[in-house]
Amino acid sequence: MDCIFCKIGEGSIPSKKVFENERILAFHDINPAAPVHVLIIPKKHIASLNDAEDGDWGTFGEIAGVAQKLARELGVADSGYRLVNNCGKDGGQEVFHIHFHLLGGAKLGPLFSRGS
Ligand code: AMP
Ligand code: ZN
């Protein structure tokens, strides 16, 4: 399968890893949108949240735990951070292997713009 994040998971494309176990990998985003910008992915190819199945929910809970640990290690736990998943076209998803953005290290802009 021609999936860039599967290749990062296999190690055939390099990444700056910050966490890895049998199920999960976390690495620095190549084009950071904040001083701390890490992507947390399951190694299993799941295209988006729409494609997750019943056996996958435990992995997403584990990803939340990895995010908590990395936020501490990367020094943003106290200042605050966001854990973001973009799903599909309107959600702004560009890479169709599910991933969670851990963003912090600066005051982040408003997540929503509400027109008046
Ligand atoms: P999304 O728009 O939610 O699909 O986010 C995709 C993210 O993947 C973007 O923030 C990209 O900068 C990031 N990205 C794409 N290719 C790589 C790569 N080879 N290594 C690290 N991050 C990447
Ligand atoms: Zn993949």
Side-chain angles (χ1 to χ4, degrees):
M1 191 185 307
D2 194 24
C3 170
I4 189 166
F5 286 179
C6 281
K7 289 178 179 165
I8 287 175
E10 294 158 10
S12 59
I13 289 181
S15 67
K16 290 168 68 180
K17 290 178 196 173
V18 289
F19 176 86
E20 181 167 20
N21 69 16
E22 309 81 62
R23 292 167 298 284
I24 292 166
L25 179 66
F27 51 95
H28 287 285
D29 194 290
I30 204 166
N31 185 20
V36 170
H37 189 172
V38 164
L39 300 177
I40 310 173
I41 69 168
K43 289 185 174 174
K44 175 186 173 186
H45 182 84
I46 301 168
S48 80
L49 192 55
N50 284 337
D51 302 287
E53 296 170 339
D54 275 351
D56 296 325
W57 306 125
T59 302
F60 294 124
E62 198 178 354
I63 284 173
V66 170
Q68 184 203 61
K69 168 182 142 64
L70 289 175
R72 288 188 186 132
E73 290 178 4
L74 297 171
V76 299
D78 291 341
S79 49
Y81 55 92
R82 274 187 198 145
L83 186 64
V84 174
N85 169 246
N86 296 326
C87 181
K89 184 165 61 72
D90 283 359
Q93 185 175 5
E94 291 179 354
V95 175
F96 279 78
H97 178 130
I98 195 167
H99 52 280
F100 294 79
H101 299 254
L102 175 62
L103 296 151
K107 177 80 178 160
L108 300 170
L111 192 53
F112 307 109
S113 53
R114 295 183 174 88
S116 54

